Amino acid sequence: MKKIKIHPILWAIFAVGALTGLFKEILMLFVIILVHEMGHVLMAYKFGWRIRRILLLPFGGIAEMDEYGNRPAKEEILVTLSGPVQHVWMIGVSFLLLNSPFWSEGDHKLFLFHNVTILLFNFLPVFPLDGGKLFFSLQTLFLPFQRSYHLSFTVSFMVLLCLTYGSLFLLPFHLNLVLILFFLWIHQYLEWKQRHYHFLRFILERKRMRRKKRRKYLKVLPSLTVSQAIRSIYREKELTFICSNDAEIPERILLDAFFERNYKDVPLSQLMK
């Protein structure tokens, strides 16, 4: 519970809700968001992930992990889906409580609306929403890590641009939507600004962590530098680079050359010598 942080604006919204008679609705939204994020956290705990914190915002939440892409993609997909899955059983409980003394039809409809809205919105392929994370994780099964990241960011940017453009015409004065879009754009900027840092942490963790992966052979030009070659590293596969005369360079040799010998701009032909 010490890792759960509530944004100050959310506390202010609670206070306003109490004064305006909307406290029950705001509390309902808070519970939905909290259960959603706890779904991510519980699955992450099951896989032994390092959890930094859970930040609850006025329009959603973020479960921040100290993982940098080297966990199995299957784990990341399950951790991502474990949040949206919580809405299914919450909706089921609401149906069971329908017309009980403390749960009216109006409460049920409002609870259903919030659950469905958050569920559908979270599946948009936009960072840091669950849809964006899921889209990225699925790509890493087939594409190199860096290419998957760039493609995911491009799709995230385009979807968010369309969403912003549409909201300006359909709901130009919707304050909650404006806040959500503002937050998402800030995150897009920070995500792009830190893209090199994310990849560096990925390959650094890759060098440190040793787990069995399916081997893949990749033919490359001898003139390719170490920095260029490591961009082809996959998440779920261990590469062996094949240069001229069928000379092989294992992925771990490249990582050692990159980090320990500072051979970033050295071509593979020289590294073989």
Side-chain angles (χ1 to χ4, degrees):
M1 293 299 291
K2 293 181 179 179
K3 294 186 178 182
I4 299 177
K5 306 295 181 183
I6 299 177
H7 198 278
I9 296 178
L10 187 54
W11 285 117
I13 291 176
F14 277 136
V16 172
L19 295 173
T20 58
L22 296 175
F23 184 76
K24 185 176 182 179
E25 180 179 351
I26 294 173
L27 182 61
M28 185 186 297
L29 190 59
F30 172 79
V31 170
I32 293 171
I33 294 170
L34 180 62
V35 172
H36 177 110
E37 297 305 321
M38 289 305 296
H40 293 305
V41 170
L42 291 175
M43 185 62 73
Y45 266 123
K46 180 181 178 181
F47 292 128
W49 285 26
R50 298 163 295 179
I51 300 166
R52 187 187 306 165
R53 65 170 181 169
I54 306 167
L55 179 61
L56 300 180
L57 301 161
F59 40 78
I62 300 177
E64 298 180 356
M65 312 289 178
D66 278 326
E67 303 296 338
Y68 299 95
N70 278 292
R71 294 285 185 167
K74 181 178 70 174
E75 287 186 11
E76 191 168 273
I77 291 170
L78 290 174
V79 170
T80 302
L81 290 176
S82 60
V85 164
Q86 307 309 312
H87 297 284
V88 178
W89 71 260
M90 283 193 287
I91 292 172
V93 169
S94 182
F95 273 106
L96 292 175
L97 295 176
L98 191 58
N99 296 324
S100 63
F102 53 87
W103 196 252
S104 66
E105 186 175 349
D107 293 332
H108 170 71
K109 288 182 178 179
L110 187 60
F111 191 74
L112 186 64
F113 171 77
H114 285 317
N115 268 284
V116 173
T117 301
I118 293 174
L119 177 62
L120 295 179
F121 185 78
N122 258 280
F123 272 124
L124 289 174
V126 176
F127 285 128
L129 302 179
D130 294 334
K133 296 176 182 177
L134 184 62
F135 183 61
F136 168 71
S137 300
L138 291 172
Q139 286 183 88
T140 58
L141 292 171
F142 310 102
L143 299 175
F145 182 90
Q146 192 176 50
R147 193 186 305 173
S148 301
Y149 185 84
H150 284 172
L151 181 57
S152 298
F153 182 85
T154 302
V155 172
S156 176
F157 178 83
M158 296 304 296
V159 172
L160 186 55
L161 190 65
C162 294
L163 188 63
T164 304
Y165 183 78
S167 65
L168 291 175
F169 291 95
L170 298 176
L171 298 167
F173 303 109
H174 197 288
L175 181 58
N176 284 345
L177 185 57
V178 170
L179 288 173
I180 292 172
L181 291 174
F182 178 74
F183 167 77
L184 291 177
W185 276 117
I186 291 294
H187 193 277
Q188 296 301 297
Y189 169 73
L190 294 176
E191 194 76 25
W192 180 250
K193 189 177 180 181
Q194 298 178 5
R195 65 192 184 280
H196 300 301
Y197 168 77
H198 289 321
F199 181 67
L200 188 63
R201 287 303 302 260
F202 164 71
I203 57 176
L204 185 61
E205 287 272 302
R206 180 68 164 231
K207 181 179 183 300
R208 184 182 65 85
M209 296 177 65
R210 295 293 183 185
R211 66 182 182 89
K212 191 174 181 180
K213 295 179 286 292
R214 186 161 58 90
R215 187 173 299 276
K216 178 180 174 63
Y217 295 89
L218 184 66
K219 287 189 175 182
V220 294
L221 295 173
S223 58
L224 203 67
T225 65
V226 171
S227 295
Q228 293 171 331
I230 62 173
R231 294 173 190 169
S232 301
I233 291 179
Y234 285 73
R235 176 189 202 161
E236 293 294 309
K237 302 169 186 174
E238 185 171 348
L239 285 181
T240 296
F241 297 87
I242 301 177
C243 300
S244 58
N245 300 323
D246 293 331
E248 296 183 0
I249 304 178
E251 174 187 302
R252 57 184 175 81
I253 299 297
L254 257 70
L255 292 175
D256 287 341
F258 185 87
F259 285 109
E260 297 180 8
R261 300 187 180 185
N262 199 25
Y263 284 175
K264 297 179 177 63
D265 298 321
V266 172
L268 298 185
S269 57
Q270 185 175 339
L271 187 64
M272 287 186 292
K273 297 178 182 179

